[in-house]
Amino acid sequence: MLPGLTPAEARIGRVLLSDTTGASALTVNELADRASTSTASVVRTARRLGFDGYPQLRLALAAQGGAKHETAVPVGADIEDGDGIGVVLTKLAAFEAEQLRATAELVDLVALAKVIDLIRGARRIDVYGIGASGLVAEDLTAKLNRVGLFARAYTEYDAAMVSASLLGPDDVAIGVSHAGENPGTVAPLHSARSTGAGTVAITAATRSRLAAQAQHVLVTAGREFGFRSAAMASRTGQLLLVDAIFVGVAQSLPAARAALERTYAAVSSHPGRVRRP
């Protein structure tokens, strides 16, 4: 969440990250002094992180600091040039597992339920994403199409803007962007909002331009990794939310199971494909 925090909140966040166990022992005044900010900023940061106040944040820090992870490679370790492929695999597995856990803890379940409800009743669903986020957009639309919904992914600016301008109040537009600042995602979501369409952002930056255009924001974990940082940091959490949205929509649509069976049968009937019992 650091990219979306104010400078004062980010300083507090870095103190918490640098020594979780030690930070849990600090009073609100001590933490404010260490982060060169005010006690009010500490309380605001605790609430931004999802806690009722600083005492609840301290309890969570103490619990996190006391947890022992039995692993040969620290979760926070970046891949280095000299790492063998076995170490790379271990680090990636730990890193992606952490991204999944953190995203599951960050997501607003009320917002997620509202997004699922919006999608299941939409006439049309546009999903915008550029680069690695475009792959996530395509994954979401492929899944929604499988249950009979009309969804399309747009990974290029002009096509996204054209489609967004034709949306209406019965439609939903979803923007996927790790930093939430890519014009190819922000601009079409802004256009879709101006037409009255429901708008959703999937991002790690709650104060980004993309988040500002969304009625509902689904937050992903945002720690960046040394190699191709943004693509790795964003994709894992984004795909978790895509799967959660798909399952939620499928559960709530009476015709979803029949649609899945029909589409599976259609794909499996290809002459060159061997069907399994």
Side-chain angles (χ1 to χ4, degrees), residues 38 77 125 154 185 209 226 240 263 269:
S38 65
I125 303 132
Y154 294 90
T185 305
R209 290 190 296 156
L240 174 64
T263 53
S269 63

Side-chain angles (χ1 to χ4, degrees), residues 16-34:
L16 302 183
L17 287 171
S18 65
D19 182 9
T20 303
T21 303
S24 69
L26 299 176
T27 66
V28 65
N29 290 312
E30 289 170 339
L31 178 54
D33 289 343
R34 187 167 297 189

Side-chain angles (χ1 to χ4, degrees), residues 56-227:
Q56 291 75 21
L57 172 59
R58 285 185 69 183
L59 287 174
L61 290 169
Q64 180 70 19
K68 300 298 181 182
H69 300 282
E70 298 296 331
T71 175
V73 180
V75 170
D78 282 342
I79 294 174
E80 299 176 357
D81 290 332
D83 287 342
I85 192 60
V87 174
V88 168
L89 184 61
T90 300
K91 286 185 175 182
L92 283 174
F95 172 73
E96 297 205 8
E98 176 64 15
Q99 296 299 297
L100 291 171
R101 183 198 64 77
T103 296
E105 291 178 357
L106 284 173
V107 68
D108 183 338
L109 297 181
V110 174
L112 179 59
K114 289 180 178 178
V115 169
I116 290 169
D117 192 53
L118 271 178
I119 291 174
R120 68 183 295 273
R123 178 186 70 96
R124 172 175 157 187
I125 303 132
D126 273 13
V127 189
Y128 315 121
I130 305 297
S133 294
L135 299 175
V136 175
E138 291 175 344
D139 186 61
L140 176 56
T141 55
K143 286 180 167 65
L144 295 179
N145 288 331
R146 284 290 307 275
V147 293
L149 297 179
F150 179 61
R152 291 193 62 181
Y154 294 90
T155 60
E156 188 272 328
Y157 180 87
D158 288 350
M161 290 300 293
V162 168
S163 183
S165 68
L166 298 175
L167 298 181
D170 295 329
D171 304 318
V172 175
I174 303 172
V176 184
S177 173
H178 178 66
E181 298 295 340
N182 195 307
T185 305
V186 175
L189 198 70
H190 172 74
S191 178
R193 183 169 185 171
S194 70
T195 68
T199 52
V200 178
I202 298 177
T203 182
T206 57
R207 292 195 174 189
S208 62
R209 290 190 296 156
L210 183 69
Q213 300 304 324
Q215 296 167 318
H216 307 288
V217 179
L218 301 179
V219 182
T220 62
R223 191 181 80 80
E224 295 188 346
F225 208 85
F227 282 70

